[in-house]
């Protein structure tokens, strides 16, 4: 029997290692998969996307149960995890592949994404105008296998320990206090 409450959404918020790890910790998220979207190159590789020539962003496709976690809650997490005022970068990760992006599947989802962005911007959490791109999803390409669950396998890798780990700890504290995280 098909569960009509199972939905997918695709977000880009900088390096996908952190975004994927955090979303996979949420109650109601069945899986988060690192990948690429928004460009013209078919079946791009990580190296091609990192060149900045494919037009793709590093993204995460999130499969979730809307009876457990709402689209609006996912958007709250999305805007918590990255700075949506930075154009084509997140911290020291620079390039269009790190752009803040939401990929919608239909008009209803586009309206929800626009409303969530306006609501988040109105909070004043981030200083400046949001530059998040809201675009129609053409195709999602899963990243190479070694990128899936990257942080969990490589927590001591220098980038992970310096950038990803601290961000995940901040995420766990905030959303753990709200009761949104899966039991460990």
């Amino acid at each position: 029997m098909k569960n009509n409450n199972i939905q997918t959404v695709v977000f880009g918020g900088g390096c996908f290692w952190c975004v994927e790890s955090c979303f996979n910790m949420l109650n109601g998220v069945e899986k988060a998969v690192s990948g690429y979207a928004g460009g013209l190159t078919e079946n791009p590789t990580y190296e091609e996307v990192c060149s900045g020539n494919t037009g793709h962003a590093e993204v995460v496709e999130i499969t979730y149960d809307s009876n457990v976690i709402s689209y609006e809650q996912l958007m709250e997490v999305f805007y918590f995890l990255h700075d949506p005022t930075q154009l084509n970068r997140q911290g020291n990760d620079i390039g269009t592949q790190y752009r803040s992006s939401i990929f919608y599947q239909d008009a209803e989802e586009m309206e929800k994404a626009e409303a969530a962005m306006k609501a988040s911007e109105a909070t004043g959490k981030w200083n400046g105008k949001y530059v998040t791109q809201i675009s129609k999803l053409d195709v999602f390409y899963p990243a190479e296998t070694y990128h899936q669950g990257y942080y969990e396998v490589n927590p001591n890798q220098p980038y992970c320990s310096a950038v990803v780990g601290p961000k995940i700890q901040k995420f766990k504290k905030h959303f753990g206090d709200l009761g949104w995280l899966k039991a460990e």
Side-chain angles (χ1 to χ4, degrees):
M1 179 173 209
K2 184 170 169 62
N3 181 347
N4 291 331
N5 300 313
I6 302 302
Q7 310 281 325
T8 60
V9 64
V10 176
F11 296 142
C15 176
F16 49 32
W17 296 340
C18 175
V19 177
E20 175 203 304
S21 293
C22 291
F23 276 102
N24 271 322
M25 292 179 206
L26 292 170
N27 283 320
V29 171
E30 293 195 350
K31 65 180 176 177
V33 176
S34 291
Y36 316 108
L40 301 174
T41 302
E42 289 186 28
N43 299 307
T45 65
Y46 180 69
E47 289 74 22
E48 289 171 328
V49 172
C50 285
S51 76
N53 296 324
T54 66
H56 287 291
E58 287 191 16
V59 298
V60 175
E61 180 186 61
I62 300 147
T63 302
Y64 67 101
D65 184 337
S66 62
N67 281 340
V68 179
I69 190 166
S70 70
Y71 181 86
E72 290 76 15
Q73 288 172 306
L74 294 172
M75 292 298 292
E76 186 176 331
V77 172
F78 171 70
Y79 284 119
F80 179 89
L81 288 176
H82 78 293
D83 182 346
T85 68
Q86 292 188 336
L87 182 62
N88 297 329
R89 71 179 296 161
Q90 285 300 304
N92 291 327
D93 294 330
I94 300 171
T96 58
Q97 68 271 27
Y98 300 114
R99 67 188 179 268
S100 176
S101 51
I102 301 167
F103 293 91
Y104 63 86
Q105 298 177 54
D106 57 34
E108 179 183 354
E109 199 172 272
M110 180 186 74
E111 290 171 9
K112 285 181 175 180
E114 290 171 347
M117 185 167 84
K118 285 179 187 166
S120 181
E121 196 168 22
T123 68
K125 177 186 185 238
W126 297 103
N127 186 20
K129 180 155 178 51
Y130 282 26
V131 295
T132 303
Q133 293 179 347
I134 300 174
S135 309
K136 177 107 172 92
L137 178 66
D138 289 325
V139 63
F140 168 80
Y141 296 102
E144 296 82 350
T145 303
Y146 72 91
H147 286 295
Q148 310 306 327
Y150 189 87
Y151 175 76
E152 288 72 21
V153 176
N154 301 286
N156 297 319
Q157 188 262 11
Y159 180 87
C160 288
S161 60
V163 178
V164 180
K167 190 180 271 193
I168 287 175
Q169 292 311 310
K170 183 178 170 187
F171 163 82
K172 285 171 122 176
K173 169 137 184 44
H174 181 79
F175 290 99
D177 289 349
L178 293 175
W180 290 19
L181 302 182
K182 296 173 183 169
E184 291 190 26

